[in-house]
Amino acid sequence: MASRGSFQLNVILILAFAATAFSALSPYYYEHVCPEALPTIKRVVEAAVYNERRMGASLLRLHFHDCFVNGCDASLLLDSTSTIDSEKNSRANQNSVRGFEVIDQIKIEVDKICGRPVFSCADILAVAARDSVVALGGPSWMVPLGRRDSTTASRTQADRDIPSPLMDLPALIEIFKRQGLDERDLVALSGGHTLGFAQCFTFKDRIYSETNIDDDFAKERRKSCPRNGGDTNLAPLDPSPTLFNTAYFNNLVEEEGLLHSDQALFNGGSTDELVKAYSENARAFSADFAKSMVKMGNIKVLTGEEGQIRLNCRKVIN
């Protein structure tokens, strides 16, 4: 136990220095204006995950899907209006992303403890993602803070930039590259699929048509995902979907990746060696995952006088 704690402390310290060098963001951005904000977010996240452990994966996914569309600016949280075509209605998000009510609760609690709306919705997404991972047994890291919230959203951009579960390796590498993320980031962040579930329609073709899949695994998944119908039935992305570990990578080595885009990471391509390394070294995976989360969290952030601090994460302040 002491060894694991020492390792997590080292990860946190390393990332604290890396974060300050990365951008204008700082882990200590709210230290003086609202020192109780971070403990408040942690409390709400832990309660939500305790109530429904699947929620941890959902909150992590919200941050990922937000950052990949015009940067980490909470654009994903905006509801549709006469001038906003909500990203919630994109192919990757519609009837899929969840956890918005937890973000709403965090915003209310944080603004209450701070006495005014100083903590951005974009920063809430970043911190909630980290706290969700920790709540499910994963590593911690210092989250660089100071993001501002966007005043726009783009369903078109979401359709273009959020990775699809049907992508092969070259397409995945390219879509991550557009965000300034390399192959190590791709594999490490894909390891977030150690948590959560996927709907039947996202892996149906794989379990019935693909050949790079373990026969017994495919047969097991077909039980809850028939050829016709059952599109919203859920299956775990790895055998322990509410525990942060290396089972996801072990599955890929055994050709038991649930999504086509998962197995693409271990299919004779340039990422095979890294997948194998993570499957054998939990510490290396945890450290790289934390680093890549910090890197992803810095994509096209709004700072200073850019954007705004929303009063309600679902609505722009006019």
Side-chain angles (χ1 to χ4, degrees):
M1 186 69 94
S3 175
R4 184 175 185 272
S6 298
F7 169 69
Q8 283 201 341
L9 178 60
N10 288 336
V11 170
I12 292 170
L13 292 175
I14 290 170
L15 292 175
F17 288 111
T20 55
F22 236 109
S23 72
L25 304 182
S26 166
Y28 311 105
Y29 186 82
Y30 298 100
E31 191 171 74
H32 298 296
V33 294
C34 190
E36 291 302 312
L38 294 180
T40 300
I41 296 174
K42 182 180 180 182
R43 174 175 55 78
V44 177
V45 168
E46 287 179 343
V49 173
Y50 179 81
N51 185 57
E52 182 196 4
R53 288 182 67 81
R54 180 186 166 204
M55 185 56 67
S58 298
L59 294 175
L60 174 62
R61 189 165 179 244
L62 280 181
H63 183 43
F64 184 96
H65 281 211
D66 178 49
C67 287
F68 264 64
V69 184
N70 293 322
C72 308
D73 60 2
S75 59
L76 172 58
L77 302 180
L78 291 173
D79 289 337
S80 291
T81 68
S82 59
T83 59
I84 292 177
D85 193 3
S86 178
E87 293 166 21
K88 296 175 182 178
N89 298 324
S90 68
R91 288 190 297 270
N93 292 330
Q94 192 172 39
N95 300 319
S96 177
V97 288
R98 56 198 295 276
F100 298 110
E101 70 286 351
V102 177
I103 301 301
D104 290 341
Q105 183 184 357
I106 291 172
K107 179 63 172 170
I108 291 170
E109 295 286 339
V110 167
D111 284 356
K112 180 179 179 181
I113 201 73
C114 295
R116 56 197 173 99
V118 295
F119 209 104
S120 72
C121 300
D123 279 346
I124 287 174
L125 285 176
V127 175
R130 188 272 310 278
D131 290 349
S132 293
V133 169
V134 173
L136 295 175
S140 186
W141 60 92
M142 297 289 279
V143 179
L145 300 168
R147 299 168 189 80
R148 306 260 298 173
D149 300 326
S150 71
T151 57
T152 60
S154 175
R155 182 174 68 168
T156 300
Q157 202 70 22
D159 284 335
R160 175 179 179 268
D161 287 343
I162 297 175
S164 161
L166 306 179
M167 284 183 169
D168 58 16
L169 184 58
L172 289 169
I173 291 173
E174 175 58 29
I175 205 165
F176 273 68
K177 183 179 178 181
R178 290 207 303 259
Q179 304 293 348
L181 302 172
D182 59 25
E183 290 187 26
R184 184 172 292 271
D185 298 316
L186 163 62
V187 179
L189 292 171
S190 295
H193 282 180
T194 183
L195 304 174
F197 296 76
Q199 296 185 60
C200 168
F201 78 91
T202 64
F203 59 85
K204 184 175 292 190
D205 286 346
R206 171 157 168 73
I207 62 175
Y208 285 102
S209 304
E210 296 186 7
T211 57
N212 61 339
I213 187 170
D214 179 81
D215 286 340
D216 290 338
F217 175 74
K219 289 176 183 177
E220 183 63 26
R221 292 280 70 85
R222 290 170 191 161
K223 291 179 182 179
S224 60
C225 186
R227 281 187 182 273
N228 299 305
D231 284 357
T232 60
N233 293 348
L234 297 175
L237 286 161
D238 87 357
S240 51
T242 59
L243 184 64
F244 192 98
N245 56 27
T246 60
Y248 168 79
F249 296 108
N250 297 333
N251 273 20
L252 299 188
V253 173
E254 299 298 326
E255 293 193 327
E256 295 179 359
L258 184 62
L259 306 178
H260 178 88
S261 58
D262 288 331
Q263 196 60 55
L265 301 178
F266 192 84
N267 193 42
S270 59
T271 55
D272 279 17
E273 288 189 15
L274 192 53
V275 168
K276 191 72 162 58
Y278 287 159
S279 73
E280 298 170 348
N281 192 330
R283 286 193 173 194
F285 166 49
S286 289
D288 282 357
F289 180 82
K291 291 176 185 176
S292 292
M293 285 295 292
V294 172
K295 189 174 177 181
M296 183 188 75
N298 279 270
I299 296 174
K300 299 177 186 174
V301 294
L302 302 174
T303 59
E305 298 301 314
E306 300 173 309
Q308 60 183 215
I309 304 296
R310 294 185 206 141
L311 301 177
N312 180 328
C313 289
R314 299 173 185 250
K315 301 177 181 179
V316 170
I317 300 172
N318 293 319

